[in-house]
Amino acid sequence: MSKPSLNIQILIGAVAGVLIGLYFHGLGVAHPMVKDGLYTVGLVGTLFIDLLKMILVPLVFCSIAVGIANLRQHRQIHRVWVTTLLFFVLTMAIAIVLGMSASLYFKPGAGMHIAMFQGAMQGFEAKQMALPEFFAQFLHGLFVNPFAALAKGDVLAVVMFALVLGIALVVGGERYKNIHNLLQEALEITMHIVGWVMRLAPLGIAALLIKLVATQDAAMLSTLAKFVAVVVGTTLLHGAVILPMLLYFITGTSPLKFWRGAREALITAFATSSSSATLPVTLRCTTQHLRVKPEIAGFVVPLGATINMDGTALYEAAAALFIANLVGVELNFTQQLVVFMTAMIAAIGAPGIPSAGMVTMVMVLQSVGLPAEAIAILLPIDRALDTLRTSVNVEGDMVTSLVVQKLIK
Ligand code: ASP
């Protein structure tokens, strides 16, 4: 029998990871075998993420610069820009409306008492982050010395510099042909290395999921069951129904075809909870399996990985309403609008790393005067919820690539 395809291996890895994780969870983390097992999967999982991160920065840099430079031939840069940003905002807005409507309807947290969580909140100090301050910080982080940004792995700043470089390549045209070719080849070779890293993906994903499932705080998950159900339900609705439907109506791509092309990235996002770490895989799926032109995917996907986060936007809004219920505050329509806006800004500003949404959520809470400390309640369950929302974040980037490719034709 021939070896199953990588796609199938990844699927098997994910399922095996969850099952072994459940088994470990049953035995308890104090069990000697589980201890050793967790140590080993910790090493393998970290190695996989390290390899993805190793290739991430060169990939983002080359892919955006080359993507922009190659768009020159199409004379469509402007339309690509506008379509991409509009679609990012549109899908995030839909996600937030979904999350907020479900929260308003089901009212998770109502009837519970914040005093129940006194233990969790004790000793927790939320970093103060008001909207103007957040905005200033975000703006300040955009333009950074490119060498420092590359060295520190500061993805957003790398994206910005690569955009500027790409535009300079377009404006310079033939004059900078050599640099353009060099970057093009660098991009091809990094994608080649991504192919190597992916061979480890089935194992890496299994390891990450074993650790996640085995160490999850199940008690807290069930205490907050209603909130978890609202978030998981609406995130699934957005990811499995709304986005595929938009994709189908705009491009004619069937959901099944999309899933087949996208699943490597979706599962990697689920296991790593990081859009950034998943980016090499996302780019590979978008260009190689979903057949989006590299100049479009090379621009949309890295940009989307840092600013387009449907799952995070939904979560931030739903969580804000949950906390409002918990502390017994009734938010009026204006305050709900503020939550809508700040959730979007918070999602755009959140970096593509695990639990980033938790940090920017402080701003959403503070914008309507909710206690920021309350996120201490959500922290124990955040890693579990982060899986699905990161998958949907990554899905949004791939869907946008396909949509942009179709619309600018
Ligand atoms: N983990 C998410 C991502 O990387 C961000 C978040 O925490 O919501 O896309």
Side-chain angles (χ1 to χ4, degrees), residues 10 35 38 45 71-72 83 88 106 110 125 127 156 170 172 175 207 230 252 281 293 310 313 316 331 345 380 390 409:
I10 288 178
K35 257 193 191 149
L38 284 181
L71 281 175
R72 170 187 51 160
T83 317
F88 281 172
F106 293 108
E125 238 188 271
K127 232 174 87 197
L156 189 61
V170 173
R175 201 148 33 119
V230 165
V281 190
K293 290 202 198 91
D310 294 7
E316 306 230 357
L331 296 180
I345 296 169
T390 308
K409 258 204 185 136

Side-chain angles (χ1 to χ4, degrees), residues 273-276 305 309 311-312 315-316 350-358 382 386 389-390 393-394:
S273 287
S274 166
S275 307
S276 288
M309 299 196 176
T312 303
Y315 180 70
E316 306 230 357
I353 55 175
S355 292
M358 276 281 104
D382 189 55
D386 202 0
R389 70 171 188 258
T390 308
N393 289 346
V394 166

